[in-house]
Amino acid sequence: MELTALLAEIGTRGVHDPTIIPDSRGYTMFSTDTMIDGQPTQGIQRRHSPDLIHWHYQDQALSGVPADAKDWSQAQGLWAPEVVSGRNEYRLYYAASTFGSQRSAIGLATAADLDAPFIPQGLVLTTEGGQDQRNALDPNVIQDGKRQWLCYGSFFAGIYLAELDPATGMLKKTDDPGVRIAARPRALNNGSIEGPFIYHSPLTGEYYLFVSYDSLAYSYNIRVGRAKQITGPYRDFQGHNLIADDPLTADQVGTKILGSRHFAGESAQLLAPGHCSVLDVGPKQYLVYHNRAVAGGPSFGLVSQLHWTVDGWPVVSPEPVYGAACSISVAQQSVVGDWDVVSLTASTDPIESQRVTLTAADVEQVGPEQFVLVGVGHVNVWQEYDWAIDQPRVVFSGITPQGWGVLGKKAG
């Protein structure tokens, strides 16, 4: 199948910065204002799906940019929505800004139902640059026991975590910007880190901070660190703190699980994946994110399964969710053979797959779907539906000994 045909079928053209919340009929996706049928949207795009595969554009969640957010930021649309269930209501957090500006705001709107219009409730946080260089963008809300937190930030000073009042959804202390939990040096594209999302895994008991590095238009990539406490410190596979201040080594920090890639035989590259969120559906987790097919071109949304390595790191499927053959276990002998493998690095250039042949001596099973592959790394292997060839395929996703993501599709 061609990528254009896939996008026409799944209905996620124009999706940017997506997040998904389950509803009574399936799932609702919220995403940044972009273009629909050649016209810009204002008020957060809303889509619905019965199955996480096929999405129907519904409407805008708000009637436009709230007056207080527009007065502060001059925003023409709203960015990076986050939707959580509050006390007898749904709470939608949004960012209002203009490209490259630090005069930004995070606002709150509420609705009794996910299909209803959201009503603005005021601004949660504003920034305007200045001495601390924070930026009120990309809200993510985390419930941690009885406490609730707002994770936010973009470029400049990095990612912050501030406590919310669960009763109101506003900051617990209005003059407290929170604690910094991730950052990159200003010398690297003004400190190019944004789109934070914290996931607490019941499997490991740890907190995982997902962030996007580099330019959203052409070089985005998704990296992760983990911590014992929600306030950090967050460390990557190699033990590096995600607060990275040295411009000579900062590109090596963060466990990169997804970047620009291209598998042999596929019609298009998948470029600049980023601004992800994590969706729980029963025992499974999914990574919700956007991609591009052309550098600087329009974005589209994808949903891919997350799996967990034997040592507790999240790894993302090389396939978007598509079709029924999803996450089927395979026997060890199915791992032997030829593979097309994308091994990620610090480079933001698209990585072309390379052919790798695995013999029985190269494969050691260490868990239900976990394997150690000689010359590749620790990976999870399963069968999933491959949109490009329109049939089931054995795939893997894992981490190399050097701490980089590695994705594979079995050839033949």
Side-chain angles (χ1 to χ4, degrees), residues 56-146:
H56 171 71
Y57 178 74
Q58 190 168 317
D59 57 8
Q60 282 98 248
L62 289 89
S63 60
V65 178
D68 51 2
K70 191 167 188 176
D71 288 345
W72 178 263
S73 67
Q74 302 304 305
Q76 298 302 302
L78 299 177
W79 299 347
E82 167 78 312
V83 180
V84 295
S85 178
R87 299 187 176 185
N88 301 313
E89 64 187 7
Y90 289 96
R91 294 174 177 171
L92 186 158
Y93 292 81
Y94 61 83
S97 189
T98 56
F99 195 78
S101 172
Q102 290 170 266
R103 190 171 176 86
S104 309
I106 291 172
L108 172 64
T110 61
D113 186 87
L114 286 174
D115 291 326
F118 279 78
I119 307 303
Q121 302 298 326
L123 301 182
V124 179
L125 176 68
T126 60
T127 57
E128 52 183 332
Q131 186 173 358
D132 68 5
Q133 294 293 299
R134 289 179 301 113
N135 204 5
L137 289 184
D138 298 350
N140 164 231
V141 175
I142 313 98
Q143 189 72 39
D144 185 37
K146 294 183 178 180

Coordinates of all heavy atoms in Angstrom, one line a residue, residues 56-146:
H56 N -12.2 9.9 12.1 CA -13.1 10.8 11.5 C -13.0 12.2 12.1 O -13.2 12.3 13.3 CB -14.6 10.3 11.6 CG -15.6 11.3 11.1 ND1 -15.7 11.6 9.8 CD2 -16.5 12.0 11.8 CE1 -16.7 12.5 9.6 NE2 -17.2 12.8 10.8
Y57 N -12.7 13.2 11.3 CA -12.6 14.5 11.8 C -14.0 15.0 12.3 O -15.0 14.9 11.5 CB -12.0 15.5 10.8 CG -12.0 16.9 11.2 CD1 -11.0 17.3 12.2 CD2 -13.0 17.8 10.8 CE1 -11.0 18.6 12.6 CE2 -12.9 19.1 11.3 CZ -12.0 19.5 12.2 OH -12.0 20.8 12.7
Q58 N -14.1 15.5 13.5 CA -15.3 15.9 14.1 C -15.6 17.4 14.1 O -16.5 17.9 13.4 CB -15.4 15.3 15.5 CG -16.7 15.4 16.2 CD -16.7 14.6 17.5 OE1 -16.2 13.5 17.6 NE2 -17.3 15.1 18.6
D59 N -14.7 18.1 14.8 CA -14.9 19.5 14.9 C -13.8 20.1 15.7 O -12.8 19.5 15.9 CB -16.3 19.9 15.5 CG -16.4 19.3 16.9 OD1 -15.4 18.7 17.5 OD2 -17.5 19.4 17.5
Q60 N -13.9 21.4 16.1 CA -13.0 22.0 17.0 C -13.6 21.9 18.4 O -14.8 22.1 18.6 CB -12.7 23.5 16.7 CG -11.7 23.6 15.5 CD -12.4 23.9 14.2 OE1 -12.4 23.1 13.3 NE2 -13.0 25.0 14.1
A61 N -12.7 21.6 19.4 CA -13.2 21.4 20.8 C -13.6 22.7 21.4 O -14.5 22.7 22.3 CB -12.1 20.8 21.6
L62 N -13.0 23.9 21.0 CA -13.4 25.2 21.5 C -13.9 26.0 20.3 O -13.6 25.7 19.2 CB -12.2 25.9 22.2 CG -11.7 25.4 23.5 CD1 -10.7 24.3 23.3 CD2 -11.2 26.5 24.4
S63 N -14.6 27.1 20.6 CA -15.2 27.9 19.6 C -14.1 28.9 19.0 O -14.5 29.6 18.1 CB -16.3 28.7 20.1 OG -15.9 29.6 21.2
G64 N -12.9 28.8 19.4 CA -11.8 29.7 18.9 C -10.8 29.8 19.9 O -10.7 29.1 20.9
V65 N -9.9 30.8 19.7 CA -8.8 31.0 20.7 C -9.5 31.9 21.8 O -10.0 33.0 21.6 CB -7.6 31.8 20.1 CG1 -6.6 32.1 21.2 CG2 -7.1 31.0 19.0
P66 N -9.4 31.4 23.1 CA -10.0 32.2 24.2 C -9.4 33.6 24.3 O -8.2 33.8 24.0 CB -9.7 31.4 25.4 CG -9.6 30.0 24.9 CD -9.0 30.1 23.6
A67 N -10.2 34.6 24.6 CA -9.8 36.0 24.6 C -8.6 36.3 25.4 O -7.7 37.0 25.0 CB -11.0 36.9 25.0
D68 N -8.5 35.7 26.6 CA -7.4 36.0 27.5 C -6.1 35.4 26.9 O -5.0 36.0 27.0 CB -7.6 35.5 28.9 CG -8.1 34.1 29.0 OD1 -8.2 33.4 28.0 OD2 -8.3 33.6 30.2
A69 N -6.2 34.2 26.3 CA -5.0 33.6 25.7 C -4.5 34.4 24.5 O -3.3 34.5 24.3 CB -5.3 32.1 25.3
K70 N -5.5 34.8 23.7 CA -5.1 35.6 22.5 C -4.6 37.0 22.9 O -3.6 37.4 22.3 CB -6.4 35.8 21.6 CG -6.0 36.4 20.3 CD -7.2 36.3 19.3 CE -6.8 36.6 17.9 NZ -7.9 36.4 16.9
D71 N -5.1 37.6 23.9 CA -4.6 38.9 24.3 C -3.2 38.8 24.8 O -2.3 39.7 24.5 CB -5.5 39.5 25.5 CG -6.8 40.0 25.0 OD1 -7.0 40.1 23.7 OD2 -7.7 40.2 25.8
W72 N -2.9 37.7 25.5 CA -1.5 37.5 26.0 C -0.5 37.1 24.9 O 0.6 37.7 24.9 CB -1.5 36.5 27.1 CG -0.1 36.2 27.7 CD1 0.7 35.2 27.3 CD2 0.6 37.0 28.6 NE1 1.9 35.3 28.0 CE2 1.9 36.4 28.8 CE3 0.3 38.2 29.4 CZ2 2.8 37.0 29.7 CZ3 1.2 38.7 30.2 CH2 2.4 38.1 30.4
S73 N -0.9 36.2 24.1 CA 0.1 35.6 23.2 C 0.0 36.0 21.7 O 0.9 35.7 20.9 CB -0.1 34.1 23.2 OG -1.3 33.7 22.7
Q74 N -1.2 36.6 21.3 CA -1.5 36.9 19.9 C -1.6 35.6 19.1 O -1.5 35.6 17.8 CB -0.4 37.8 19.3 CG -0.3 39.1 20.0 CD -1.6 39.9 20.1 OE1 -2.3 40.1 19.1 NE2 -2.0 40.2 21.3
A75 N -1.9 34.5 19.7 CA -2.1 33.2 19.0 C -3.2 33.2 18.0 O -4.3 33.8 18.3 CB -2.3 32.1 20.0
Q76 N -3.0 32.6 16.9 CA -4.1 32.5 15.9 C -4.7 31.1 15.9 O -5.7 30.8 15.2 CB -3.5 32.7 14.5 CG -2.9 34.1 14.3 CD -4.0 35.2 14.5 OE1 -5.0 35.2 13.9 NE2 -3.7 36.1 15.5
G77 N -4.1 30.2 16.7 CA -4.7 28.9 16.8 C -4.1 28.3 18.1 O -3.2 28.9 18.8
L78 N -4.6 27.2 18.6 CA -4.2 26.6 19.8 C -3.3 25.3 19.5 O -3.5 24.6 18.6 CB -5.4 26.2 20.7 CG -6.2 27.4 21.1 CD1 -7.4 26.9 21.9 CD2 -5.4 28.4 21.9
W79 N -2.4 25.1 20.4 CA -1.4 24.0 20.2 C -1.4 23.0 21.3 O -1.9 23.3 22.4 CB 0.0 24.6 20.1 CG 0.3 25.6 19.1 CD1 -0.4 25.8 18.0 CD2 1.5 26.4 19.0 NE1 0.2 26.8 17.2 CE2 1.3 27.2 17.8 CE3 2.6 26.7 19.8 CZ2 2.3 28.2 17.4 CZ3 3.5 27.6 19.4 CH2 3.4 28.3 18.3
A80 N -0.9 21.8 21.0 CA -0.5 20.8 22.0 C -1.5 20.5 23.1 O -1.2 20.7 24.3 CB 0.8 21.2 22.6
P81 N -2.7 20.0 22.7 CA -3.7 19.8 23.8 C -3.4 18.6 24.7 O -2.7 17.6 24.3 CB -5.0 19.5 22.9 CG -4.4 18.9 21.7 CD -3.2 19.6 21.4
E82 N -3.9 18.7 25.9 CA -3.9 17.6 26.8 C -5.2 17.5 27.4 O -5.8 18.5 27.9 CB -2.8 17.8 27.9 CG -2.9 17.0 29.1 CD -2.3 15.6 28.9 OE1 -2.6 14.9 27.9 OE2 -1.5 15.1 29.8
V83 N -5.8 16.3 27.5 CA -7.2 16.1 28.0 C -7.1 15.0 29.1 O -6.6 13.9 28.9 CB -8.2 15.7 26.9 CG1 -9.6 15.5 27.5 CG2 -8.2 16.8 25.8
V84 N -7.7 15.4 30.3 CA -7.7 14.5 31.4 C -9.1 14.5 32.0 O -9.8 15.5 31.9 CB -6.6 14.8 32.5 CG1 -5.2 14.6 31.9 CG2 -6.8 16.2 33.0
S85 N -9.4 13.5 32.7 CA -10.7 13.4 33.5 C -10.5 14.1 34.8 O -9.6 13.7 35.6 CB -11.1 12.0 33.6 OG -12.3 11.9 34.3
G86 N -11.3 15.1 35.1 CA -11.3 15.8 36.4 C -12.5 15.4 37.3 O -13.0 14.2 37.2
R87 N -12.9 16.3 38.1 CA -14.0 16.0 39.0 C -15.3 16.3 38.3 O -15.8 17.4 38.1 CB -13.9 16.8 40.3 CG -12.6 16.5 41.1 CD -12.6 17.2 42.4 NE -11.4 16.9 43.1 CZ -11.1 17.2 44.4 NH1 -12.0 18.1 45.0 NH2 -10.0 16.9 45.0
N88 N -16.0 15.2 37.8 CA -17.2 15.3 37.0 C -17.1 16.1 35.8 O -18.1 16.8 35.3 CB -18.3 15.9 37.9 CG -18.6 15.0 39.2 OD1 -18.7 13.8 39.1 ND2 -18.6 15.7 40.3
E89 N -15.9 16.2 35.2 CA -15.7 16.9 34.0 C -14.5 16.4 33.3 O -13.6 15.7 33.9 CB -15.6 18.4 34.3 CG -14.3 18.7 35.1 CD -14.2 20.2 35.6 OE1 -15.2 20.9 35.4 OE2 -13.2 20.5 36.2
Y90 N -14.3 16.9 32.0 CA -13.1 16.7 31.3 C -12.3 18.0 31.3 O -13.0 19.1 31.1 CB -13.3 16.1 29.9 CG -13.8 14.7 29.9 CD1 -15.1 14.4 29.9 CD2 -12.9 13.6 30.0 CE1 -15.6 13.0 29.9 CE2 -13.3 12.3 30.0 CZ -14.6 12.0 29.9 OH -15.0 10.7 30.0
R91 N -11.0 18.0 31.5 CA -10.2 19.2 31.4 C -9.3 19.1 30.2 O -8.5 18.2 30.1 CB -9.4 19.3 32.7 CG -10.3 19.5 34.0 CD -9.5 19.5 35.2 NE -10.4 19.8 36.4 CZ -10.0 19.7 37.7 NH1 -8.8 19.3 38.0 NH2 -10.9 20.0 38.6
L92 N -9.4 20.2 29.4 CA -8.5 20.3 28.3 C -7.5 21.4 28.5 O -7.9 22.6 28.7 CB -9.4 20.6 27.0 CG -8.6 20.6 25.7 CD1 -9.6 20.4 24.5 CD2 -7.9 22.0 25.4
Y93 N -6.3 21.1 28.5 CA -5.2 22.1 28.6 C -4.6 22.3 27.2 O -4.5 21.4 26.4 CB -4.1 21.6 29.5 CG -4.5 21.4 31.0 CD1 -5.2 20.3 31.4 CD2 -4.1 22.4 31.9 CE1 -5.6 20.2 32.8 CE2 -4.5 22.3 33.2 CZ -5.2 21.2 33.7 OH -5.6 21.1 35.0
Y94 N -4.3 23.6 26.9 CA -3.9 24.0 25.6 C -2.7 25.0 25.8 O -2.6 25.6 26.8 CB -5.0 24.5 24.8 CG -5.6 25.8 25.4 CD1 -5.0 27.0 25.1 CD2 -6.8 25.7 26.1 CE1 -5.6 28.2 25.7 CE2 -7.3 26.9 26.7 CZ -6.7 28.1 26.5 OH -7.2 29.2 27.1
A95 N -2.0 25.1 24.7 CA -0.9 26.1 24.7 C -1.3 27.2 23.6 O -1.8 26.9 22.6 CB 0.4 25.5 24.3
A96 N -1.0 28.4 24.0 CA -1.2 29.6 23.0 C 0.0 30.4 22.9 O 0.6 30.8 23.9 CB -2.4 30.5 23.6
S97 N 0.5 30.5 21.7 CA 1.8 31.2 21.4 C 1.9 31.5 19.9 O 1.0 31.2 19.2 CB 3.0 30.4 21.9 OG 4.2 31.2 21.9
T98 N 3.0 32.0 19.5 CA 3.3 32.2 18.1 C 4.7 31.6 18.0 O 5.5 31.5 18.9 CB 3.3 33.6 17.7 OG1 4.2 34.4 18.5 CG2 1.9 34.2 17.7
F99 N 5.1 31.2 16.7 CA 6.3 30.4 16.5 C 7.5 31.2 17.0 O 7.7 32.3 16.6 CB 6.4 30.0 15.0 CG 7.4 29.0 14.8 CD1 7.1 27.6 15.0 CD2 8.7 29.3 14.3 CE1 8.0 26.6 14.8 CE2 9.6 28.3 14.1 CZ 9.3 27.0 14.3
G100 N 8.3 30.5 17.8 CA 9.6 31.1 18.3 C 9.4 32.1 19.4 O 10.5 32.5 20.0
S101 N 8.2 32.4 19.9 CA 8.0 33.3 21.0 C 8.0 32.6 22.3 O 7.6 31.5 22.4 CB 6.7 34.1 20.8 OG 6.4 34.9 21.9
Q102 N 8.4 33.4 23.3 CA 8.3 32.9 24.7 C 7.2 33.6 25.5 O 7.0 33.4 26.6 CB 9.6 33.1 25.5 CG 10.7 32.2 25.0 CD 12.1 32.6 25.6 OE1 12.8 33.3 25.0 NE2 12.3 32.1 26.8
R103 N 6.5 34.5 24.8 CA 5.3 35.1 25.4 C 4.1 34.1 25.1 O 3.4 34.2 24.1 CB 5.0 36.5 24.8 CG 3.9 37.2 25.6 CD 3.8 38.7 25.1 NE 2.6 39.3 25.8 CZ 2.7 39.9 27.0 NH1 3.9 39.9 27.7 NH2 1.7 40.5 27.6
S104 N 4.0 33.2 26.0 CA 3.1 32.0 25.8 C 2.2 31.8 27.0 O 2.5 32.3 28.1 CB 4.0 30.8 25.5 OG 5.0 31.0 24.5
A105 N 1.2 31.0 26.8 CA 0.3 30.7 27.9 C -0.2 29.3 27.8 O -0.4 28.7 26.7 CB -0.9 31.7 27.8
I106 N -0.4 28.7 28.9 CA -1.2 27.4 29.0 C -2.5 27.7 29.6 O -2.6 28.3 30.7 CB -0.4 26.4 29.8 CG1 0.9 26.0 29.1 CG2 -1.3 25.2 30.2 CD1 1.8 25.1 29.9
G107 N -3.6 27.3 28.9 CA -4.9 27.6 29.4 C -5.7 26.3 29.7 O -5.3 25.2 29.3
L108 N -6.8 26.5 30.4 CA -7.7 25.4 30.8 C -9.1 25.6 30.3 O -9.6 26.7 30.4 CB -7.7 25.2 32.3 CG -8.6 24.2 32.9 CD1 -8.3 22.8 32.4 CD2 -8.6 24.3 34.4
A109 N -9.7 24.6 29.7 CA -11.1 24.6 29.3 C -11.8 23.3 29.8 O -11.1 22.3 29.9 CB -11.3 24.8 27.8
T110 N -13.0 23.3 30.1 CA -13.7 22.1 30.6 C -15.0 21.8 29.9 O -15.6 22.7 29.3 CB -14.0 22.3 32.1 OG1 -14.9 23.4 32.3 CG2 -12.8 22.5 32.9
A111 N -15.4 20.5 29.9 CA -16.6 20.1 29.3 C -17.1 18.9 30.1 O -16.4 18.1 30.7 CB -16.4 19.7 27.9
A112 N -18.4 18.7 30.1 CA -19.0 17.6 30.8 C -18.9 16.3 30.0 O -18.9 15.2 30.6 CB -20.5 17.8 31.1
D113 N -18.7 16.4 28.7 CA -18.6 15.3 27.8 C -17.5 15.5 26.8 O -17.3 16.7 26.4 CB -19.9 15.0 27.2 CG -20.0 13.8 26.3 OD1 -20.3 12.7 26.9 OD2 -19.7 13.9 25.1
L114 N -16.9 14.5 26.3 CA -15.8 14.6 25.3 C -16.3 15.2 24.0 O -15.5 15.8 23.2 CB -15.1 13.3 25.1 CG -14.1 12.8 26.2 CD1 -13.6 11.4 25.9 CD2 -13.0 13.8 26.4
D115 N -17.6 15.0 23.7 CA -18.1 15.5 22.4 C -18.7 16.9 22.6 O -19.0 17.5 21.6 CB -19.3 14.6 22.0 CG -18.7 13.3 21.5 OD1 -17.6 13.2 20.9 OD2 -19.4 12.2 21.7
A116 N -18.8 17.4 23.8 CA -19.4 18.8 24.0 C -18.4 19.9 23.8 O -17.1 19.6 23.8 CB -19.9 18.8 25.5
P117 N -18.8 21.1 23.5 CA -17.9 22.2 23.5 C -17.2 22.4 24.8 O -17.8 22.4 25.9 CB -18.9 23.4 23.1 CG -20.1 22.8 22.6 CD -20.2 21.5 23.3
F118 N -15.9 22.7 24.7 CA -15.2 23.0 25.9 C -15.2 24.5 26.3 O -15.1 25.3 25.4 CB -13.7 22.6 25.8 CG -13.5 21.1 26.0 CD1 -13.8 20.2 25.0 CD2 -13.0 20.7 27.2 CE1 -13.6 18.8 25.3 CE2 -12.8 19.3 27.5 CZ -13.1 18.4 26.5
I119 N -15.4 24.8 27.5 CA -15.6 26.2 28.0 C -14.4 26.7 28.6 O -13.9 26.1 29.6 CB -16.8 26.3 29.0 CG1 -18.1 25.7 28.3 CG2 -17.1 27.8 29.3 CD1 -18.5 26.2 27.0
P120 N -13.8 27.8 28.2 CA -12.5 28.3 28.8 C -12.7 28.7 30.3 O -13.7 29.2 30.7 CB -12.2 29.6 28.0 CG -12.9 29.4 26.7 CD -14.2 28.6 27.0
Q121 N -11.7 28.3 31.1 CA -11.7 28.6 32.5 C -10.6 29.5 32.9 O -10.4 29.7 34.2 CB -11.7 27.2 33.2 CG -12.8 26.2 32.9 CD -14.1 26.8 33.3 OE1 -14.3 27.5 34.3 NE2 -15.2 26.4 32.5
G122 N -9.8 30.0 32.0 CA -8.7 30.9 32.4 C -7.4 30.3 32.1 O -7.2 29.2 31.5
L123 N -6.3 31.1 32.4 CA -5.0 30.8 32.1 C -4.3 30.1 33.3 O -4.4 30.7 34.4 CB -4.2 32.0 31.7 CG -4.7 32.7 30.4 CD1 -3.8 33.9 30.0 CD2 -4.9 31.7 29.2
V124 N -3.6 29.0 33.1 CA -3.0 28.3 34.2 C -1.6 28.9 34.4 O -1.1 29.0 35.6 CB -2.9 26.8 33.8 CG1 -2.1 26.0 34.9 CG2 -4.2 26.2 33.6
L125 N -0.9 29.3 33.3 CA 0.5 29.7 33.4 C 0.8 30.5 32.2 O 0.4 30.3 31.1 CB 1.4 28.4 33.4 CG 2.9 28.6 33.4 CD1 3.4 29.1 34.7 CD2 3.6 27.2 33.1
T126 N 1.6 31.6 32.5 CA 2.1 32.5 31.4 C 3.6 32.7 31.5 O 4.1 32.7 32.6 CB 1.4 33.8 31.4 OG1 1.6 34.5 32.6 CG2 -0.1 33.7 31.2
T127 N 4.2 32.9 30.4 CA 5.7 33.2 30.4 C 5.9 34.3 29.3 O 5.1 34.5 28.4 CB 6.5 32.0 30.0 OG1 6.1 31.5 28.8 CG2 6.4 30.9 31.1
E128 N 7.0 35.0 29.5 CA 7.4 36.0 28.5 C 8.9 36.1 28.3 O 9.4 37.1 28.0 CB 6.8 37.4 28.8 CG 7.1 37.9 30.2 CD 6.4 39.2 30.5 OE1 6.2 40.0 29.5 OE2 6.1 39.5 31.7
G129 N 9.6 35.0 28.6 CA 11.0 35.0 28.4 C 11.7 35.6 29.6 O 11.4 35.2 30.8
G130 N 12.5 36.6 29.4 CA 13.2 37.2 30.6 C 14.3 36.3 31.1 O 14.8 35.5 30.5
Q131 N 14.5 36.5 32.4 CA 15.7 35.9 33.0 C 15.7 34.4 33.0 O 16.7 33.8 32.7 CB 15.9 36.4 34.4 CG 17.2 36.0 35.1 CD 17.4 36.7 36.4 OE1 16.6 37.5 36.9 NE2 18.5 36.3 37.1
D132 N 14.6 33.8 33.4 CA 14.6 32.3 33.5 C 14.4 31.6 32.2 O 14.6 30.4 32.1 CB 13.6 31.8 34.6 CG 12.2 32.0 34.2 OD1 11.9 32.4 33.1 OD2 11.3 31.8 35.1
Q133 N 13.9 32.3 31.2 CA 13.8 31.7 29.8 C 12.8 30.6 29.7 O 12.8 29.8 28.7 CB 15.1 31.3 29.3 CG 16.1 32.4 29.1 CD 15.7 33.4 27.9 OE1 15.5 32.9 26.8 NE2 15.4 34.6 28.3
R134 N 11.9 30.4 30.7 CA 10.9 29.3 30.5 C 9.9 29.6 29.4 O 9.8 30.8 29.0 CB 10.1 29.1 31.8 CG 10.9 28.5 33.0 CD 10.1 28.4 34.2 NE 9.6 29.7 34.7 CZ 8.3 30.1 34.7 NH1 7.3 29.2 34.2 NH2 7.9 31.3 35.1
N135 N 9.2 28.6 28.9 CA 8.2 28.8 27.9 C 7.0 28.0 28.2 O 7.1 26.7 28.3 CB 8.8 28.4 26.5 CG 8.0 29.1 25.4 OD1 7.2 30.0 25.6 ND2 8.4 28.8 24.2
A136 N 5.8 28.6 28.3 CA 4.6 27.9 28.7 C 4.0 27.2 27.5 O 3.0 27.7 26.9 CB 3.6 28.9 29.3
L137 N 4.6 26.1 27.1 CA 4.1 25.3 26.0 C 4.0 23.9 26.4 O 4.5 23.4 27.4 CB 5.0 25.5 24.8 CG 5.1 26.8 24.1 CD1 6.1 26.7 22.9 CD2 3.7 27.2 23.6
D138 N 3.2 23.1 25.5 CA 3.2 21.7 25.5 C 2.8 21.1 26.9 O 3.6 20.3 27.5 CB 4.5 21.1 25.1 CG 4.9 21.5 23.7 OD1 4.0 22.1 23.0 OD2 6.1 21.3 23.3
P139 N 1.6 21.4 27.4 CA 1.2 20.9 28.7 C 1.0 19.3 28.7 O 0.4 18.8 27.8 CB -0.1 21.6 29.0 CG -0.7 21.9 27.6 CD 0.5 22.2 26.7
N140 N 1.4 18.7 29.8 CA 1.1 17.3 30.1 C 0.7 17.2 31.5 O 1.4 17.8 32.4 CB 2.3 16.5 29.7 CG 2.2 15.1 30.3 OD1 3.2 14.6 31.0 ND2 1.2 14.3 30.1
V141 N -0.4 16.6 31.8 CA -0.9 16.5 33.2 C -0.8 15.0 33.7 O -1.2 14.1 33.0 CB -2.4 17.0 33.3 CG1 -2.9 16.8 34.7 CG2 -2.4 18.5 33.0
I142 N -0.2 14.9 34.9 CA 0.1 13.5 35.4 C -0.5 13.4 36.8 O -0.3 14.3 37.7 CB 1.6 13.3 35.6 CG1 2.3 13.7 34.3 CG2 1.9 11.8 35.9 CD1 3.0 15.0 34.3
Q143 N -1.3 12.4 37.0 CA -1.9 12.1 38.3 C -0.9 11.1 39.0 O -0.6 10.0 38.5 CB -3.3 11.4 38.2 CG -4.0 11.3 39.5 CD -4.5 12.6 40.1 OE1 -5.0 13.4 39.3 NE2 -4.4 12.7 41.4
D144 N -0.4 11.5 40.2 CA 0.5 10.7 40.9 C 0.0 10.4 42.3 O 0.2 11.3 43.2 CB 1.9 11.3 40.9 CG 3.0 10.5 41.6 OD1 2.9 9.3 41.4 OD2 3.8 11.0 42.3
G145 N -0.8 9.4 42.5 CA -1.4 9.2 43.8 C -2.5 10.3 43.9 O -3.3 10.5 43.1
K146 N -2.4 11.0 45.1 CA -3.4 12.1 45.3 C -2.9 13.4 44.7 O -3.6 14.4 44.8 CB -3.7 12.2 46.8 CG -4.4 11.0 47.4 CD -4.7 11.2 48.8 CE -5.4 10.0 49.4 NZ -5.8 10.2 50.9

